[in-house]
Amino acid sequence: MRSAWGEWAPDRAPIGLGSLRTATNVRPDGAAYEPMPAITTVSDATGDRPRGMFSDRDILNDVHTFVGDESKLYELADDAWTDVSRAGGYTCSETDRWRFARYGDRLLATNFSDEIQYFDMTTSTDFDDLAGTPPKARYIAAYGDFVLIGNTAANANGVRWSGINDSEEWTIGTAQSDKQDLPDGGAVTGLAVSDAVYIFQESKIRRMLYTGGGTIMQFDVVEQERGLIAPDSLCSLGRVHFYLSEDGFYLFDGVSSTQIGYDKVDATFRADSDRDSYHRISAAVDPINKLVGWLYPSKQAIAAQPDTLLIYNWANQRWAKCTYTMELLSGIRSTGYTLEGLDALYSSIDAMTISLDDPIWTGGAISWGGMSSDYKLATFSGSNLEATIETDDFEISEGLIAFVDSCRPQIDAAPYISIGTRMRSADTVAYSTESLVNVAGYAPQRALGRYSRVKMRVPAATTWTKTQGFEMNWTQAGQR
């Protein structure tokens, strides 16, 4: 019997559908699965728990990476975080986040507790209050020649925007600066910009489009009864926006939302995640590998520390799950490192955990990254994590009891294999003793049952590239 690995869909019934029960510490790629690396820290630590992150190039092509915590904003310089806070610092609350928007070469930052901040990336040395006295706000975005803010201190259900081509003009009625109260849909929970602005609320999504004239902005409801419940679960790639709604994970294309987690992972996520800690969720897109990831605290997490990463490949519509303990997941651009910077991180070349050929050292490369549990910049560049793939139950031949004597996984490594069996769907699955793949590529086994499942474990730090499926040898042991 030969079979490809199915898609990880733990929400489905566990017998006969060809799905996977487990796909841990792997990422889906085409019809195969690839390993996921451990995170590696490449900076010193910030002073407190990171609560927001931004990384991009300025107009001179230099890379800037910023992080905010409870009381400070930092910029990365080689391997060290430099305090670039305004005088007096900040008071970002436990449940709020720093959120950033790029307006030309000016970086804007908001956390709802403090005044909106600005930093001119080619000239500033510290952040400062944005002129024009805009109201405090939770969300911020740049839309064409305007700065847009949502969920302000005065109105959680509204948005305001600056004067045209002027981030410091906030007088309503001047230079097209204005506001819009949204009559229903609940509080604004996120802003996404592509061909228009998409205003995510608790139970609606609205499109905001610049029209000029006396109207200035046109507002239309594009999702009637669905919205964004975890603000930082929203992440975008061009005109595609991924988000978590009350009933699961969705892809929004500017016209409508498509379910991507239904009958796959939505129920599993709801059962596993800590609803009271949704403010700790973060998300990012990996455009190179066509992945989007959601980092969240499980119910088993200690002190609401995010410890689980759900991965979705939008090209093949497959999911996987990883175990990472991190503070934030983010898209980052590597800043580049000098030899002196490498000396600060490693005592010698032999002590380096990342290859010198890795693009993280050259600067400008886009990749997944984030902040570690000890508040350091982290990249996904370590050795491979221990990976586990386990199939659903299947009948090798309908009605027959099968004796499995070996299994050959399709993988460029030597993993461990065990076989789970049971006679009835009501029985508890019993697993055979785990065995290592031998020189012929087979893992010897002794397993008997009407229903069988294959479990493959690849130890941590094993070098491998892809796994596609398995081949099982069996003989008939009986029939009904």
Side-chain angles (χ1 to χ4, degrees), residues 157-464:
N157 295 38
V159 295
R160 282 189 63 173
W161 56 92
S162 71
I164 189 168
N165 202 31
D166 189 349
S167 63
E168 299 182 354
E169 178 55 74
W170 291 90
T171 302
I172 291 177
T174 300
Q176 300 188 52
S177 178
D178 209 340
K179 68 176 182 177
Q180 179 68 43
D181 298 333
L182 306 177
D184 54 10
V188 174
T189 51
L191 302 171
V193 179
S194 52
D195 56 322
V197 176
Y198 294 96
I199 303 169
F200 287 76
Q201 298 173 256
E202 292 169 320
S203 61
K204 273 186 172 54
I205 303 176
R206 282 180 160 87
R207 179 177 58 238
M208 170 180 154
L209 189 65
Y210 176 65
T211 59
T215 304
I216 307 176
M217 302 288 182
Q218 176 180 319
F219 293 81
D220 300 289
V221 175
V222 289
E223 282 283 357
Q224 284 284 356
E225 301 298 334
R226 183 175 296 115
L228 173 67
I229 61 166
D232 294 288
S233 72
L234 175 62
C235 58
S236 305
L237 180 67
R239 296 187 178 186
V240 178
H241 313 285
F242 302 92
Y243 70 99
L244 176 64
S245 189
E246 193 68 59
D247 60 338
F249 292 96
Y250 283 85
L251 179 158
F252 177 69
D253 63 4
V255 178
S256 62
S257 294
T258 301
Q259 295 175 329
I260 60 175
Y262 174 71
D263 197 36
K264 295 184 179 183
V265 302
D266 285 346
T268 297
F269 169 79
R270 284 194 295 272
D272 185 54
S273 60
D274 178 8
R275 179 61 184 264
D276 292 336
S277 299
Y278 275 11
H279 62 281
R280 299 287 293 272
I281 293 176
S282 55
V285 170
D286 176 356
I288 303 300
N289 295 299
K290 298 177 175 59
L291 303 175
V292 56
W294 287 272
L295 179 72
Y296 69 91
S298 72
K299 288 178 179 175
Q300 293 72 45
I302 298 173
Q305 171 79 62
D307 61 353
T308 306
L309 177 65
L310 282 184
I311 296 175
Y312 176 69
N313 184 313
W314 64 79
N316 64 14
Q317 301 175 17
R318 288 192 172 193
W319 290 83
K321 176 182 176 179
C322 297
T323 53
Y324 290 103
T325 301
M326 301 175 62
E327 284 295 339
L328 290 174
L329 178 70
S330 178
I332 62 171
R333 289 185 181 271
S334 57
T335 56
Y337 285 77
T338 64
L339 290 176
E340 290 76 12
L342 293 178
D343 285 342
L345 290 172
Y346 301 105
S347 58
S348 67
I349 290 179
D350 292 337
M352 292 182 66
T353 57
I354 307 175
S355 168
L356 281 170
D357 295 329
D358 195 288
I360 187 67
W361 307 125
T362 60
I366 302 174
S367 62
W368 266 354
M371 297 297 290
S372 67
S373 58
D374 55 357
Y375 310 163
K376 297 177 181 179
L377 180 66
T379 64
F380 290 77
S381 54
S383 58
N384 292 334
L385 297 172
E386 178 172 288
T388 303
I389 293 178
E390 182 179 10
T391 68
D392 282 344
D393 288 355
F394 52 86
E395 291 184 271
I396 294 177
S397 184
E398 186 176 356
L400 297 180
I401 297 173
F403 176 75
V404 177
D405 60 37
S406 65
C407 181
R408 183 174 68 88
Q410 295 174 334
I411 184 174
D412 52 344
Y416 290 86
I417 297 291
S418 57
I419 306 297
T421 56
R422 51 182 165 175
M423 290 295 182
R424 304 174 303 166
S425 59
D427 294 340
T428 300
V429 176
Y431 288 90
S432 65
T433 301
E434 189 179 65
S435 61
L436 181 65
V437 168
N438 59 28
V439 292
Y442 287 88
Q445 283 293 314
R446 294 181 63 85
L448 182 71
R450 177 168 284 120
Y451 299 106
S452 302
R453 60 174 64 178
V454 175
K455 184 176 183 179
M456 181 181 73
R457 181 178 67 86
V458 188
T462 300
T463 299
W464 61 283

Side-chain angles (χ1 to χ4, degrees), residues 53-54 66 73 90 97-111 115-121 124 127-131 134 137-149 162 166-170:
M53 189 171 187
F54 173 88
F66 297 89
L73 285 164
Y90 310 104
R97 283 277 182 88
W98 281 101
R99 297 181 177 95
F100 301 88
R102 176 145 182 206
Y103 183 76
D105 214 36
R106 172 170 282 194
L107 182 63
L108 305 174
T110 187
N111 68 10
E115 291 76 18
I116 295 174
Q117 300 293 290
Y118 82 94
F119 186 97
D120 291 321
M121 289 191 284
S124 293
F127 278 89
D128 205 349
D129 295 351
L130 181 65
R138 282 195 165 90
Y139 309 104
I140 190 165
Y143 172 47
D145 293 326
F146 298 91
V147 176
L148 176 70
I149 55 176
S162 71
D166 189 349
S167 63
E168 299 182 354
E169 178 55 74
W170 291 90

